[in-house]
Amino acid sequence: MLNMIYSWYAKKSLKKQLLDFLGEMEKNLEIYYVMDQRQFITGGFIMDTWEKVKDLEILKSQEAIQLYASTLLAFNSAFNENKTFEKWYSSSLEHRTPENAKKLHAFKNDLDQRVKTLEAIIIPAGQSLEKELLKLGFITN
């Protein structure tokens, strides 16, 4: 009886984690669409739930999901690096050299190029997760 309760609880916990992760993916797709529509990068992507589920075997075997995570984490890192450099650049007139302006421009161009590839990464990852959720019976068609 106790094993059945543990099994039920584990399944319920897994379902919650995976559905939360799917919700995070949907929010990130929305963030992407806002960036794409505005042609302006307003911030990074949400990766809080990913940090909680990244070690689940069901996700480790999914290439599309692993690509999604590594790409968005790399984007967030590049975004933070850009913002740090931008603050430093703006903090003093001495920092505003032509060389630093070119470097700042290169950071922004890199982020713009990264954004262009994101839809083709986020959507397949979400579809892959949805297929797994269907197999597990956590969602219905």
Side-chain angles (χ1 to χ4, degrees):
M1 180 73 170
L2 201 54
N3 284 341
M4 200 162 64
I5 292 171
Y6 284 136
S7 175
W8 173 82
Y9 182 75
K11 187 173 180 179
K12 183 178 176 184
S13 176
L14 178 64
K15 179 179 180 179
K16 181 180 178 353
Q17 288 177 319
L18 292 176
L19 289 176
D20 287 350
F21 182 49
L22 182 62
E24 182 176 274
M25 292 175 110
E26 290 170 353
K27 288 177 189 172
N28 283 332
L29 184 60
E30 187 177 323
I31 290 169
Y32 161 77
Y33 284 136
V34 169
M35 283 184 204
D36 186 54
Q37 184 180 27
R38 288 182 168 177
Q39 295 294 305
F40 184 74
I41 299 169
T42 57
F45 291 92
I46 304 164
M47 296 300 286
D48 299 332
T49 305
W50 168 250
E51 292 301 320
K52 296 174 186 172
V53 299
K54 67 183 178 184
D55 294 326
L56 295 175
E57 287 302 319
I58 194 167
L59 299 180
K60 284 183 176 181
S61 64
Q62 299 295 319
E63 267 186 54
I65 293 172
Q66 294 299 315
L67 177 62
Y68 161 86
S70 64
T71 302
L72 293 189
L73 289 170
F75 180 90
N76 284 352
S77 178
F79 178 77
N80 290 334
E81 187 178 351
N82 174 60
K83 284 298 175 190
T84 300
F85 188 79
E86 189 176 49
K87 286 178 186 176
W88 175 83
Y89 178 83
S90 300
S91 69
S92 170
L93 288 175
E94 294 173 3
H95 298 159
R96 295 180 188 181
T97 65
E99 184 179 303
N100 288 337
K102 288 178 185 176
K103 187 173 179 179
L104 183 60
H105 188 70
F107 274 130
K108 290 184 180 185
N109 280 340
D110 177 55
L111 286 174
D112 288 339
Q113 293 305 312
R114 288 175 188 246
V115 167
K116 291 178 183 178
T117 66
L118 294 179
E119 183 178 30
I121 292 170
I122 296 171
I123 291 175
Q127 291 170 338
S128 179
L129 180 58
E130 286 177 342
K131 285 178 188 174
E132 289 301 317
L133 291 169
L134 280 168
K135 282 183 200 175
L136 292 168
F138 293 165
I139 61 173
T140 57
N141 227 358

